Amino acid sequence: MEISRRKPKASIAEVRIHPVLQQYLGYCLGKAGAIMRRNLNVAFAEYGVEAKHFAVLRVLGDSNQPNQLAIGLDMGVDKATMVKLIDDLEAKGLVERIVDPADRRAKLITISRRGRGLAKTLESVRDSVESDFLRGLSLREKHTLRKTLTKLVGAL
């Protein structure tokens, strides 16, 4: 399948997985995750960010000035990757690093006004992409999928 850089269109119903691979949950989850991430990245490209940046903005928007380490732990992202993500967002004026008054060696990350506005816009874009991606599922199936995946990841 050719990956479009302009219009995200793949939904669960359109993805072909060879019958022999359908028995492998990891393969199916990986394929679905990769397609969803690609669709989000295509949709977010016009805003100059990717899904990973959106995730940081959302965590920051729901936090009380966490440090990079705390954000990384909440997202399951290693220290080096987290530094790069924060560097990217800081360069775009979406977040700011400030010295932690309790520990001058640590930096607290705050979301800027511009970052909050963009996160709100991206949330709407994400809703649309997710809705399109899951269009082959009933409302009940969508709820069950989200609940089951959340439970699975929480048990790891």
Side-chain angles (χ1 to χ4, degrees), residues 51-52 63 65 74 76 82 110 113 123 137:
K52 59 190 177 185
S63 301
Q65 297 183 333
D74 286 344
M82 197 69 238
T110 61
R113 177 181 286 153
E123 184 69 36
L137 300 179

Side-chain angles (χ1 to χ4, degrees), residues 81-95:
T81 301
M82 197 69 238
V83 168
K84 173 73 171 106
L85 288 171
I86 298 297
D87 286 348
D88 291 348
L89 291 169
E90 187 176 37
K92 295 174 189 304
L94 302 173
V95 302

Side-chain angles (χ1 to χ4, degrees), residues 2-3 13 15 20 36 57-58 61 89 91 95 103 106 109 113 118-119 124 129 135 139 144:
E2 184 176 324
I3 297 176
V15 176
V20 76
M36 181 66 178
L57 291 174
R58 287 296 290 125
L89 291 169
V95 302
D103 180 357
I109 310 303
R113 177 181 286 153
L118 181 60
S124 176
V129 169
R135 71 182 176 268
L139 216 51
T144 300

Side-chain angles (χ1 to χ4, degrees), residues 4-34:
S4 168
R5 297 308 265 166
R6 298 194 186 257
K7 293 170 76 178
K9 287 294 178 188
S11 72
I12 289 176
E14 296 170 334
V15 176
R16 290 182 48 173
I17 299 176
H18 190 280
V20 76
L21 297 175
Q22 290 176 9
Q23 66 181 317
Y24 302 119
L25 180 61
Y27 182 84
C28 294
L29 286 171
K31 188 74 152 172

